[in-house]
Amino acid sequence: MSPNGSLEARYPGTAGPTGMLRRDAWWVEPLLTVLGLGGFVVYATWAGFQNAFYFVDPYLSPFYSPCLSSNCEHVSLPLIGRWWNLSPAFLVLWIPGGFRLTCYYYRKAYYRSFWWAPPACAVPDVRTGYSGETAFPLILQNIHRYFFYLATGVLVFLWWDALEAFRFPDGFGMGVGTLVLLVNAVLLSLYSVSCHSCRHLCGGRLDVLSKAPTRYKAWSLISKLNEHHMFYAWISLFGVAFADVYVRLVAMGVIRDIRFF
Amino acid sequence: MAASEYTMRIWRGDASGGAFCDYRVSVEPGMVVLDAIHRVQATQANDLAVRWNCKAGKCGSCSAEVNGRPRLTCMTRMELFPPGETITVTPMRTFPLIRDLVTDVSFNFGTAKQVPPFQPKPKEPDGTYRMQQEDIDRVQEFHKCIECFLCQNVCHVIRDHPEHKKHFAGPRMFVRYAALEMHPLDTDNRLELLKEKMGLELCNITKCCTEVCPESIHITDNAIIPLKERVVDAYYDPLARVFRKLTGTR
Ligand code: SF4
Ligand code: SF4
Ligand code: FES
Ligand code: FES
């Protein structure tokens, strides 16, 4: 963005220079975010629509877990009857999707990179009007903790899937896929536990932490993890996409799952 | 090590307008941007206005923007920049310019006055207050603030949308509100004020305040987001309200 007239109007009375004076590569971070998040959303939507190659015994893709409809290849919980004839992924994807959409870290990431409010620090907002999170629809971000509850439920199923991944048709065993699903569950757990709402609910909301020693311990631990919430957000995003790709390729017969035992 | 030459491109002007002026200065190893500005002032522009006090990163007076980034000029080493480079130094953009690099930061004093003061609970029978270290750790981080107002300056809510100045306390004040709200002895509740009048919800947690804070206070993660979560408790979480009613907890 070059210095321009419309910016001048934005700083009435400040009388200093206008325009964008940063000379470093401030655009790299938003660009990488657009590529990373955009790429994930495109892939997850595509994978959700496929409605195939999401299960290969004993591996269930995390995009389809828990599998709730009876049209599923591997039903986790038969909640939805035959009438549901779309991809079972859509019955669950909205939960992790909503959890990440309302996550404090991802909000920062997409407000900056997609919404350009602001694109980077000391780089002017692209739009002249601004209402932050005071009005609909962004006021709905306050729902985040409810998505945290729901996502925790999904996480229980993903751990279950990781354990099930030891149960091959020919008995107990372990393959690369088992490891992939296990790592996926660990990464997603780190992401969930380090959540700001989780931190608040576990202890942050108290003023006198010394009177609640267990909650103080939980809060202290979560606070440490919370410092790396952005890292867990990204690595778990890649992890979950990789787990789906892995199961998909094995199910399609493109690659062969290596059995350790 | 020998001295290096730099061009300091400094904004010169006042409320009626101004322009950039270039000054060539030689810089010895160890010098900071504020030193280079002082050298310009001593040798080429005696009337250059610049505010400073401690030259130790503790008084928060020398805030400005160096190559477009809000910084303490006394803590920004010249070695950061390759010799020969042109370094742009401009006043903080969010506040009205008085002269050259000096801005009128009274906006911040105004929002500070609006913070309802500490309201401690009654003293214990022996006439003292007691707190545990774990209750006060969080708050101590907030007390590191040196009031440089770099966070207020970089915050796009008022930097790019000055119409919000009348109802936005800003990140520095959110740090102060958080210190009071989380204080184990304080009895006041400032959440309604924060939500309705201080613009907590105007903040979109994009973290520029945290990025520029010279005291490395985790403004967004440790002050603003916990305050937002407390506002959710009070205004946007019907389940929690029912739960609190049923269990009689706060
Ligand atoms: S995180 Fe909020 S308060 Fe801090 S600079 Fe960004 S919008 Fe302003
Ligand atoms: S919070 Fe940090 S950036 Fe803001 S005024 Fe205090 S020291 Fe400066
Ligand atoms: S998941 Fe990121 S803040 Fe809750
Ligand atoms: S002069 Fe005191 S902080 Fe820079």
Side-chain angles (χ1 to χ4, degrees):
Chain A
M1 216 172 305
S2 58
N4 62 48
S6 71
L7 278 173
E8 249 155 72
R10 289 231 216 137
Y11 307 111
T14 53
T18 53
M20 215 286 286
L21 297 171
R22 270 184 75 165
R23 280 185 277 168
D24 54 330
W26 57 266
W27 45 271
V28 170
E29 201 183 301
L31 181 69
L32 290 177
T33 312
V34 166
L35 293 177
L37 282 185
F40 179 84
V41 169
V42 169
Y43 175 74
T45 314
W46 175 84
F49 269 109
Q50 291 313 296
N51 198 3
F53 305 120
Y54 56 85
F55 179 71
V56 52
D57 213 2
Y59 308 140
L60 173 64
S61 156
F63 284 3
Y64 285 77
S65 178
C67 223
L68 301 176
S69 57
S70 27
N71 68 344
C72 186
E73 272 181 54
H74 176 81
V75 182
S76 319
L77 200 67
L79 279 185
I80 314 277
R82 285 252 155 249
W83 58 269
W84 179 270
N85 51 16
L86 300 175
S87 165
F90 295 126
L91 291 171
V92 286
L93 273 185
W94 63 274
I95 295 177
F99 186 41
R100 287 190 189 244
L101 193 70
T102 56
C103 159
Y104 285 97
Y105 165 67
Y106 283 110
R107 270 142 79 179
K108 172 204 163 192
Y110 64 77
Y111 287 149
R112 279 196 189 195
S113 56
F114 284 86
W115 206 246
W116 295 0
C121 303
V123 177
D125 282 16
V126 171
R127 283 168 203 77
T128 36
Y130 175 80
S131 59
E133 298 185 330
T134 56
F136 184 82
L138 294 183
I139 199 165
L140 292 179
Q141 305 282 25
N142 289 311
I143 209 170
H144 181 59
R145 60 178 61 171
Y146 285 86
F147 274 114
F148 167 72
Y149 301 141
L150 290 168
T152 308
V154 170
L155 199 58
V156 172
F157 282 97
L158 294 181
W159 273 105
W160 178 248
D161 294 339
L163 295 181
E164 286 246 292
F166 286 97
R167 225 172 58 186
F168 286 82
D170 57 356
F172 184 76
M174 185 177 176
V176 173
T178 318
L179 209 62
V180 169
L181 292 190
L182 214 56
V183 169
N184 175 51
V186 169
L187 294 179
L188 289 174
S189 303
L190 283 170
Y191 172 62
S192 277
V193 172
S194 63
C195 162
H196 284 277
S197 291
C198 173
R199 182 185 185 212
H200 171 76
L201 295 161
C202 285
R205 59 187 302 281
L206 304 176
D207 291 343
V208 188
L209 284 159
S210 59
K211 288 217 175 103
T214 318
R215 292 182 75 180
Y216 174 64
K217 270 197 199 116
W219 175 80
S220 304
L221 176 71
I222 294 169
S223 297
K224 286 211 180 77
L225 294 173
N226 177 266
E227 283 173 29
H228 311 288
H229 189 57
M230 171 180 119
F231 174 70
Y232 298 139
W234 281 107
I235 191 159
S236 62
L237 194 76
F238 288 127
V240 77
F242 180 78
D244 180 81
V245 172
Y246 186 83
V247 173
R248 188 168 298 280
L249 293 181
V250 174
M252 289 168 77
V254 178
I255 53 172
R256 243 179 46 120
D257 181 49
I258 298 168
R259 276 286 283 273
F260 300 132
F261 56 85
Chain B
M1 266 208 316
S4 321
E5 289 275 317
Y6 287 90
T7 302
M8 303 299 289
R9 179 165 292 167
I10 301 176
W11 183 262
R12 303 293 315 266
D14 55 24
S16 60
F20 281 111
C21 292
D22 286 0
Y23 305 94
R24 296 279 301 167
V25 281
S26 78
V27 167
E28 281 93 52
M31 279 173 68
V32 293
V33 171
L34 182 62
D35 292 324
I37 295 169
H38 279 152
R39 185 155 287 180
V40 170
Q41 194 189 45
T43 58
Q44 302 168 55
N46 302 152
D47 59 344
L48 175 65
V50 55
R51 190 189 274 137
W52 68 288
N53 253 295
C54 69
K55 234 204 90 182
K58 282 293 162 232
C59 73
S61 310
C62 64
S63 303
E65 303 189 7
V66 183
N67 285 349
R69 299 184 76 142
R71 287 175 175 280
L72 290 182
T73 54
C74 77
M75 297 305 281
T76 307
R77 291 185 159 268
M78 290 298 286
E79 281 123 54
L80 267 181
F81 313 102
E85 199 181 284
T86 299
I87 297 166
T88 310
V89 188
T90 51
M92 288 197 281
R93 182 173 290 196
T94 304
F95 311 119
L97 185 61
I98 298 176
R99 212 177 110 157
D100 303 339
L101 298 177
V102 178
T103 52
D104 174 3
V105 293
S106 47
F107 163 77
N108 306 291
F109 307 140
T111 55
K113 274 200 198 122
Q114 292 172 310
V115 182
F118 181 53
Q119 268 186 38
K121 60 185 181 196
K123 288 187 178 157
E124 294 189 20
D126 60 0
T128 63
Y129 287 120
R130 281 195 183 76
M131 313 181 268
Q132 302 302 315
Q133 185 59 40
E134 58 261 44
D135 294 329
I136 209 73
D137 277 341
R138 270 187 297 191
V139 174
Q140 279 179 329
E141 179 192 9
F142 305 144
H143 289 175
K144 291 194 302 180
C145 174
I146 59 169
E147 303 228 290
C148 63
F149 304 130
L150 285 172
C151 57
Q152 305 279 90
N153 170 51
V154 80
C155 180
H156 72 126
V157 175
I158 45 177
R159 184 182 174 96
D160 298 339
H161 311 282
E163 68 277 12
H164 289 312
K165 273 188 180 164
K166 54 186 184 301
H167 47 236
F168 186 68
R172 190 280 166 262
M173 291 322 139
F174 293 147
V175 165
R176 206 157 139 185
Y177 278 96
L180 290 163
E181 282 300 296
M182 294 176 192
H183 199 287
L185 297 179
D186 183 73
T187 55
D188 199 8
N189 182 333
R190 302 163 186 81
L191 295 177
E192 188 184 345
L193 182 70
L194 278 164
K195 178 180 179 296
E196 303 297 338
K197 300 224 167 76
M198 295 302 150
L200 184 67
E201 292 171 325
L202 280 169
C203 161
N204 67 351
I205 51 170
T206 34
K207 279 199 167 176
C208 288
C209 47
T210 308
E211 244 174 66
V212 302
C213 178
E215 284 294 311
S216 306
I217 300 172
H218 295 81
I219 305 174
T220 321
D221 286 350
N222 289 351
I224 297 178
I225 293 175
L227 285 175
K228 281 193 173 234
E229 282 292 312
R230 285 173 183 231
V231 166
V232 176
D233 276 350
Y235 296 95
Y236 300 107
D237 187 349
L239 270 187
R241 218 177 301 166
V242 172
F243 180 80
R244 284 200 301 271
K245 275 243 162 67
L246 288 178
T247 57
T249 48
R250 192 185 70 84

